[in-house]
Amino acid sequence: MKKLILSIFLISVTAFSIRSQVKLDDFGRIALNTYLPEQINLTTEARNLLETKLSQIGTTYGMSSSEISPRFIITATINIGTKDIISGPPQLIAQNIEVTFFIGDAIENRKFGNTIIKLKGVGTNENKAFIDAIKRINPKNHEVAQFVEDAKAKIITYYITKCDFILKESHSLKLSGKYDEAIYKLSIVPNVCQVCYFRCLDTLAIIYQLKINEEGKTKLLEAKTVWANYLDKEGAKKVSELIRQISPGASCQNEVNSFIKSVTAKLESDAKSQWEFEMKQYDDQVAREKENLRMQDIQATRNFELDKIRTKAYSEIAIEYAKNQPRTIYNNINWR
C-alpha cells in the first residue's frame, strides 16, 4: 500500500496541473464559512462589516472559509440595546449592542456552540454608532477564542464519529463509478482528525487507481478507434493526443505500449519521425516517474508531512468536482 500511494502521488503530480494554490490550501484543514441570514436587519455597510469580522475570526484560528468544504459555518445575530446621548458639540450617540456568535453544522442544521459579546459604539448618528460598535469586535477576544476552540473540538468529534459513514459512502460512490465525488468526500476530511484522515488517505489511493485505470482504458479504446478510421499521419497526431492523456500508472500500460508499436509499424517514414518524437516524450515521462518512485520508496516512511504532500495528488479532482456543483444554500439557519 505504501508503494501504491507513492506511485499514485508521483503520477498525479505529472498528470494534473495545479491551478489554484489558494484552493489547494483548503484541503487538510477545518473550514468555517461565513454566513448571515437574509432576514437579519442590517444596512449593507453593517452587513459587510459583520461578515468581514466573522471571516477574521475564522482566519485568526486557522479556519478560514472554503467553497470546497461548505458544511461548517460561523454566523451571528445582533440585539440592539440602549442608546445614550452624549452632549456636544457635536452631540454624539452611544449605542449598546450584544453580538451572539454561533458555529455549527449547516448541512444538518445543528448548532455546536455560541458566545455573547457586549459592545458600545459612538457616532454622530445611530447608524454610525452601530457601525462603530461592530468595528470593536476583536477576533482575539478571550470569550471568542474559547468559543472557537470548543467548536473546533466538536467538529473534530464529528469526523471521528462519522468516519465509518464517510468511508462507507465513498465505497458506494466507487461502486457506482462516481470516482470524483468519492475523492471529494474523502479529501475534505481535515488532517487534525488523524485516524480518520489516514484511513481516508489509504482509501483515496485505491479509488484514484480505479479512476485512472478506467479512464486509461477509455482513452485507449478511443485512440484505437481513431487509428482504425485514419491509419495515416493525421490519425497518428490525434492518437498521440489521446495517449498522452493516459496516466503512466494506469493498468492498461502494457496494452498502450503494444498499441504504440503497432502504430509505429504502420506509419510511413515521413510521418514516423514526429510520432516517435511524441512517443519518446511519453516514454521519458514514464521513466522519470519510475525513477522517482524508486528513490522515494528507498526512504519512504509514514509521516504527517509526507501524507500532507500526497493529498495534492487528489486535490485537483476534488476542486473540479466542487466547482461543478450547485452553490450551497443554507436553509432555515436561524440559531438562537
Side-chain angles (χ1 to χ4, degrees), residues 18-27 312 319:
I18 304 304
R19 292 197 294 271
S20 174
Q21 187 62 45
V22 174
K23 288 190 175 181
L24 280 173
D25 289 344
D26 287 345
F27 291 92
K312 292 184 180 180
I319 288 170

mmCIF file of all heavy atoms in Angstrom, residues 18-27 312 319:
data_model
loop_
_atom_site.group_PDB
_atom_site.id
_atom_site.type_symbol
_atom_site.label_atom_id
_atom_site.label_comp_id
_atom_site.label_asym_id
_atom_site.label_seq_id
_atom_site.Cartn_x
_atom_site.Cartn_y
_atom_site.Cartn_z
ATOM 1 N N ILE A 18 -1.573 22.218 -11.177
ATOM 2 C CA ILE A 18 -2.166 22.865 -10.014
ATOM 3 C C ILE A 18 -2.453 24.312 -10.365
ATOM 4 O O ILE A 18 -1.545 25.101 -10.563
ATOM 5 C CB ILE A 18 -1.214 22.790 -8.795
ATOM 6 C CG1 ILE A 18 -0.858 21.330 -8.513
ATOM 7 C CG2 ILE A 18 -1.861 23.423 -7.590
ATOM 8 C CD1 ILE A 18 -2.045 20.419 -8.302
ATOM 9 N N ARG A 19 -3.755 24.647 -10.467
ATOM 10 C CA ARG A 19 -4.126 25.945 -10.984
ATOM 11 C C ARG A 19 -4.458 26.961 -9.901
ATOM 12 O O ARG A 19 -4.503 28.149 -10.169
ATOM 13 C CB ARG A 19 -5.336 25.798 -11.917
ATOM 14 C CG ARG A 19 -5.007 25.058 -13.195
ATOM 15 C CD ARG A 19 -6.095 25.307 -14.212
ATOM 16 N NE ARG A 19 -7.359 24.738 -13.802
ATOM 17 C CZ ARG A 19 -7.732 23.497 -14.086
ATOM 18 N NH1 ARG A 19 -6.929 22.700 -14.756
ATOM 19 N NH2 ARG A 19 -8.904 23.047 -13.703
ATOM 20 N N SER A 20 -4.745 26.507 -8.668
ATOM 21 C CA SER A 20 -5.155 27.469 -7.651
ATOM 22 C C SER A 20 -4.600 27.074 -6.305
ATOM 23 O O SER A 20 -5.140 26.234 -5.624
ATOM 24 C CB SER A 20 -6.695 27.532 -7.570
ATOM 25 O OG SER A 20 -7.088 28.339 -6.504
ATOM 26 N N GLN A 21 -3.494 27.701 -5.909
ATOM 27 C CA GLN A 21 -2.857 27.362 -4.646
ATOM 28 C C GLN A 21 -3.765 27.672 -3.473
ATOM 29 O O GLN A 21 -3.769 26.977 -2.472
ATOM 30 C CB GLN A 21 -1.537 28.123 -4.507
ATOM 31 C CG GLN A 21 -0.731 27.705 -3.292
ATOM 32 C CD GLN A 21 -0.335 26.247 -3.344
ATOM 33 O OE1 GLN A 21 0.101 25.760 -4.372
ATOM 34 N NE2 GLN A 21 -0.488 25.522 -2.254
ATOM 35 N N VAL A 22 -4.541 28.733 -3.595
ATOM 36 C CA VAL A 22 -5.459 29.085 -2.514
ATOM 37 C C VAL A 22 -6.426 27.947 -2.255
ATOM 38 O O VAL A 22 -6.649 27.527 -1.129
ATOM 39 C CB VAL A 22 -6.228 30.379 -2.852
ATOM 40 C CG1 VAL A 22 -7.284 30.652 -1.793
ATOM 41 C CG2 VAL A 22 -5.272 31.558 -2.952
ATOM 42 N N LYS A 23 -7.002 27.406 -3.316
ATOM 43 C CA LYS A 23 -7.950 26.318 -3.144
ATOM 44 C C LYS A 23 -7.269 25.040 -2.694
ATOM 45 O O LYS A 23 -7.833 24.271 -1.929
ATOM 46 C CB LYS A 23 -8.726 26.086 -4.440
ATOM 47 C CG LYS A 23 -9.736 27.183 -4.718
ATOM 48 C CD LYS A 23 -10.651 26.833 -5.863
ATOM 49 C CE LYS A 23 -11.729 27.894 -6.050
ATOM 50 N NZ LYS A 23 -12.657 27.550 -7.147
ATOM 51 N N LEU A 24 -6.073 24.793 -3.160
ATOM 52 C CA LEU A 24 -5.348 23.617 -2.699
ATOM 53 C C LEU A 24 -5.103 23.695 -1.203
ATOM 54 O O LEU A 24 -5.162 22.693 -0.502
ATOM 55 C CB LEU A 24 -4.015 23.492 -3.441
ATOM 56 C CG LEU A 24 -4.095 22.894 -4.850
ATOM 57 C CD1 LEU A 24 -2.746 22.994 -5.527
ATOM 58 C CD2 LEU A 24 -4.551 21.445 -4.802
ATOM 59 N N ASP A 25 -4.846 24.876 -0.714
ATOM 60 C CA ASP A 25 -4.614 25.051 0.713
ATOM 61 C C ASP A 25 -5.859 24.786 1.544
ATOM 62 O O ASP A 25 -5.784 24.628 2.755
ATOM 63 C CB ASP A 25 -4.099 26.469 0.994
ATOM 64 C CG ASP A 25 -2.668 26.663 0.508
ATOM 65 O OD1 ASP A 25 -1.999 25.646 0.257
ATOM 66 O OD2 ASP A 25 -2.236 27.814 0.372
ATOM 67 N N ASP A 26 -7.027 24.765 0.878
ATOM 68 C CA ASP A 26 -8.258 24.482 1.603
ATOM 69 C C ASP A 26 -8.303 23.036 2.095
ATOM 70 O O ASP A 26 -9.028 22.730 3.042
ATOM 71 C CB ASP A 26 -9.475 24.730 0.703
ATOM 72 C CG ASP A 26 -9.731 26.215 0.473
ATOM 73 O OD1 ASP A 26 -9.158 27.020 1.222
ATOM 74 O OD2 ASP A 26 -10.496 26.553 -0.445
ATOM 75 N N PHE A 27 -7.565 22.157 1.448
ATOM 76 C CA PHE A 27 -7.586 20.759 1.839
ATOM 77 C C PHE A 27 -6.718 20.541 3.074
ATOM 78 O O PHE A 27 -5.686 21.156 3.246
ATOM 79 C CB PHE A 27 -7.099 19.886 0.679
ATOM 80 C CG PHE A 27 -8.062 19.860 -0.462
ATOM 81 C CD1 PHE A 27 -7.949 20.763 -1.490
ATOM 82 C CD2 PHE A 27 -9.106 18.947 -0.486
ATOM 83 C CE1 PHE A 27 -8.840 20.758 -2.542
ATOM 84 C CE2 PHE A 27 -10.007 18.935 -1.533
ATOM 85 C CZ PHE A 27 -9.869 19.836 -2.561
ATOM 86 N N LYS A 312 -2.171 16.466 -2.320
ATOM 87 C CA LYS A 312 -2.204 17.308 -3.520
ATOM 88 C C LYS A 312 -2.496 16.477 -4.764
ATOM 89 O O LYS A 312 -2.979 17.003 -5.760
ATOM 90 C CB LYS A 312 -0.875 18.057 -3.674
ATOM 91 C CG LYS A 312 -0.646 19.111 -2.603
ATOM 92 C CD LYS A 312 0.635 19.880 -2.867
ATOM 93 C CE LYS A 312 0.863 20.943 -1.799
ATOM 94 N NZ LYS A 312 2.102 21.708 -2.036
ATOM 95 N N ILE A 319 -11.320 19.632 -6.464
ATOM 96 C CA ILE A 319 -11.602 21.026 -6.804
ATOM 97 C C ILE A 319 -12.533 21.096 -8.007
ATOM 98 O O ILE A 319 -13.530 21.827 -8.010
ATOM 99 C CB ILE A 319 -10.299 21.794 -7.093
ATOM 100 C CG1 ILE A 319 -9.525 22.024 -5.799
ATOM 101 C CG2 ILE A 319 -10.591 23.144 -7.770
ATOM 102 C CD1 ILE A 319 -8.120 22.553 -6.014
#
